[in-house]
Amino acid sequence: MSAEEFRKHGRQVVDWIADYLATLESRPVRSPVRPGEVRDALPAHPPEHGEPFENVLADLDRVLLPGITHWQHPSFFAYFPANASGPAILGDLLSSGLGAQGMVWATSPACTELESLVVDWLAELLGLPERFRTDSVGGGVIQDTASSASLVALLAALRHAGGDPARRCTVYVSAETHSSLEKAARIAGLGTHQVRAVGVDSRTLAMDPVELADLMAADVEAGAVPAMVCATIGTTSTTAIDPVARIGEVCRAYGVWLHVDAAYAGVSAICPELRWINDGVAEYADSYVTNPHKWLLTNFDCSVLWLADRTPLIEALSILPEYLRNAASASGEVIDYRDWQIPLGRRFRALKLWSVIRWYGAEGLREHIRKDVALAGEFAGLAAADRRFEVRADHPFGLVCFRPVWPDLSTEDANTATLALLERLNASGALYLSHTKVGENVLLRMAIGAPGTERRHVHDAWEAIRAEVDVATTHPR
Ligand code: PLP
């Protein structure tokens, strides 16, 4: 593709994206396609001869778009948000345009230095401790996902624990911890019996620090080596918050690594009124992850991991083959981010986060979070005021968990009715919600956080949900 051709098609692509984002609202939120439908509509074999780029765009419109669930749709309320924004898209495009590999400082100094600056900026914006700063003994790094971040935190924790990690080390999570922690333990070679699920408070669903202490004491007594505890700030199911300070005290008593998974909720600490969510982090956390690619207007992938001390991580992951030796690395004056992650190669992700922070400023980012928190509060108020619904009390972020109350149904039938209602709502294309289970009950999850979501979208969603319950209760199926 010549420079002139690139210019022409680049403009077409940017126009395509701008039109897509501008007309998003008119599309069904959840893709209605059947399994295999997208693939069947495309040629089974690759072309022998090159094609005009317009053909790609035509197939994007004709075949791929119907197979897309529109995560940026203002009525997308499922899972957690996966924010995209103009500055992030453009930052990512610039990163693609540069095509640089920032695996070590020497392979593109700007990649490393911008990344270390921007993660320090973000630490400052979130009020995270000074020791997480890259210019101290700790530091931050952009990973692809929180799953990878937790995996490397675990590898650092295992290193920190010494001993024979594969056989004797134990890791502590709760039943509400994200599955990526169990996956990380498996990848690290720990058996299922080495991952301990600590009980949670039945109301708040937060990890019980007393049970954690008891479990750890028993494990030590039995000759195990506790290596890491993962506390979550904003669990995936309901955004419960583990008591980090009390968990941290237990960790400190045993010299155990405390990892904090704040993948979704952590970015909300950009608002001073939400900083309390990080109580205990400054005193106790050895590592902390949050995902700007969820709720901070930065396109996937962008997950930031900070460490209070980077040494165990680098000791765990650094291997220096001859072909990577260079004077800058040998000088010890530079960061080589390849030693902070699983892969060697790395994208220049800092560009998009930098673009986002510069475009919105702290003020604009706070406004985005505050809008969603306020809309979640408003939605919870609407549902709580209707006797046919039950709402979970704690919803400090953008997620509200609630359920229709089916007075005449058993728990099992009520769950079936709630899931059927969810499917009807989602199949309508007008909105998209997801679900979870707390105790015996299926709950609906209304996660507000798409950049374009306004009050009217939330009210429309509430009306649609209410109307479905009306129909279901007057004409039970
Ligand atoms: N941790 C928590 C608390 C999450 O909610 C999620 C995803 O929703 C993850 C980890 C995994 O995030 P990622 O997709 O970045 O690996």
Side-chain angles (χ1 to χ4, degrees):
M1 192 179 272
S2 70
E4 278 319 304
E5 286 167 327
F6 179 78
R7 205 182 296 284
K8 176 180 152 202
H9 299 308
R11 289 190 173 128
Q12 283 171 340
V13 166
V14 170
D15 282 344
W16 189 96
I17 297 172
D19 290 343
Y20 169 72
L21 293 175
T23 58
L24 197 52
E25 203 170 333
S26 62
R27 299 178 188 276
V29 188
R30 189 181 73 173
S31 165
V33 303
R34 293 183 313 279
E37 203 175 321
V38 173
R39 183 164 177 157
D40 288 349
L42 293 168
H45 303 288
E48 179 64 19
H49 303 291
E51 295 180 53
F53 193 76
E54 281 81 359
N55 290 10
V56 173
L57 290 180
D59 281 349
L60 177 62
D61 282 324
R62 184 181 63 85
V63 184
L64 301 184
L65 260 190
I68 296 291
T69 289
H70 302 287
W71 284 67
Q72 308 311 315
H73 195 295
S75 298
F76 182 97
F77 303 116
Y79 310 105
F80 279 140
N83 285 178
S85 71
I89 296 166
L90 295 176
D92 225 4
L93 182 60
L94 289 171
S95 166
S96 294
L98 290 170
Q101 275 283 353
M103 52 202 185
V104 294
W105 179 89
T107 58
S108 262
C111 294
T112 299
E113 295 196 12
L114 184 67
E115 181 160 333
S116 64
L117 174 80
V118 89
V119 294
D120 284 351
W121 273 14
L122 189 60
E124 182 180 322
L125 287 170
L126 302 182
L128 291 173
E130 287 286 315
R131 62 203 175 98
F132 283 4
R133 288 183 61 91
T134 310
D135 50 16
S136 89
V137 290
V141 57
I142 305 182
Q143 305 271 336
D144 54 1
T145 57
S147 303
S148 298
S150 294
L151 172 59
V152 300
L154 174 59
L155 297 174
L158 291 171
R159 175 83 190 187
H160 174 253
D164 183 353
R167 289 224 311 279
R168 294 166 58 230
C169 284
T170 43
V171 171
Y172 301 80
V173 299
S174 84
E176 299 294 318
T177 304
H178 191 264
S179 55
S180 53
L181 268 294
E182 189 174 340
K183 196 190 258 187
R186 278 194 212 173
I187 297 169
L190 304 190
T192 315
H193 63 287
Q194 288 168 282
V195 181
R196 305 273 193 265
V198 182
V200 294
D201 179 278
S202 59
R203 191 188 61 80
T204 62
L205 302 181
M207 186 189 283
D208 177 353
V210 175
E211 190 176 320
L212 171 68
D214 291 347
L215 211 50
M216 212 180 269
D219 284 343
V220 171
E221 180 74 24
V225 181
M228 184 174 102
V229 177
C230 176
T232 306
I233 295 175
T235 58
T236 313
S237 174
T238 62
T239 64
I241 301 174
D242 290 338
V244 174
R246 294 190 59 201
I247 292 169
E249 283 163 19
V250 179
C251 290
R252 186 155 292 168
Y254 289 91
V256 175
W257 187 284
L258 174 60
H259 175 58
V260 176
D261 177 0
Y264 159 70
V267 297
S268 68
I270 199 163
C271 302
E273 68 275 21
L274 282 165
R275 290 254 162 98
W276 59 267
I277 64 169
N278 284 333
D279 283 352
V281 166
E283 296 82 354
Y284 297 106
D286 294 290
S287 50
Y288 182 101
V289 60
T290 190
N291 285 354
H293 73 219
K294 280 187 162 59
W295 198 16
L296 204 68
L297 297 165
T298 310
N299 287 52
F300 189 88
D301 52 356
C302 185
S303 175
V304 183
L305 171 72
W306 287 274
L307 299 125
D309 178 0
R310 62 197 189 225
T311 314
L313 175 66
I314 293 170
E315 284 175 356
L317 297 185
S318 184
I319 299 168
L320 183 59
E322 183 56 35
Y323 45 82
L324 290 177
R325 283 183 193 280
N326 66 86
S329 298
S331 76
E333 285 176 35
V334 300
I335 285 177
D336 286 333
Y337 275 129
R338 74 183 179 102
D339 296 332
W340 299 48
Q341 60 173 23
I342 305 298
L344 168 63
R346 53 199 333 268
R347 301 182 345 94
F348 192 2
R349 298 191 190 92
L351 253 181
K352 62 185 166 193
L353 185 54
W354 189 54
S355 308
V356 164
I357 296 175
R358 293 185 66 173
W359 175 264
Y360 291 100
E363 199 180 50
L365 296 173
R366 284 186 204 115
E367 201 178 300
H368 167 64
I369 300 288
R370 283 183 180 138
K371 175 199 72 155
D372 297 334
V373 172
L375 289 176
E378 196 165 329
F379 179 85
L382 291 169
D386 189 320
R387 282 185 299 112
R388 295 165 311 163
F389 291 86
E390 202 176 87
V391 182
R392 265 190 76 78
D394 301 325
H395 45 80
F397 309 111
L399 175 74
V400 182
C401 296
F402 66 106
R403 69 183 184 108
V405 182
W406 310 98
D408 304 325
L409 299 184
S410 66
T411 305
E412 198 182 328
D413 289 346
N415 287 345
T416 307
T418 302
L419 287 172
L421 176 102
L422 175 67
E423 182 47 32
R424 286 197 299 280
L425 285 165
N426 290 344
S428 76
L431 76 174
Y432 189 15
L433 302 175
S434 57
H435 76 281
T436 189
K437 204 166 182 186
V438 172
E440 293 300 304
N441 296 321
V442 168
L443 303 186
L444 300 177
R445 294 173 76 265
M446 172 90 179
I448 299 169
T453 303
E454 297 170 14
R455 199 161 173 258
R456 67 189 167 93
H457 302 107
V458 172
H459 280 258
D460 287 352
W462 168 243
E463 286 308 319
I465 296 163
R466 222 174 45 85
E468 267 304 332
V469 170
D470 276 344
V471 173
T473 42
T474 29
H475 307 288
R477 293 169 208 228

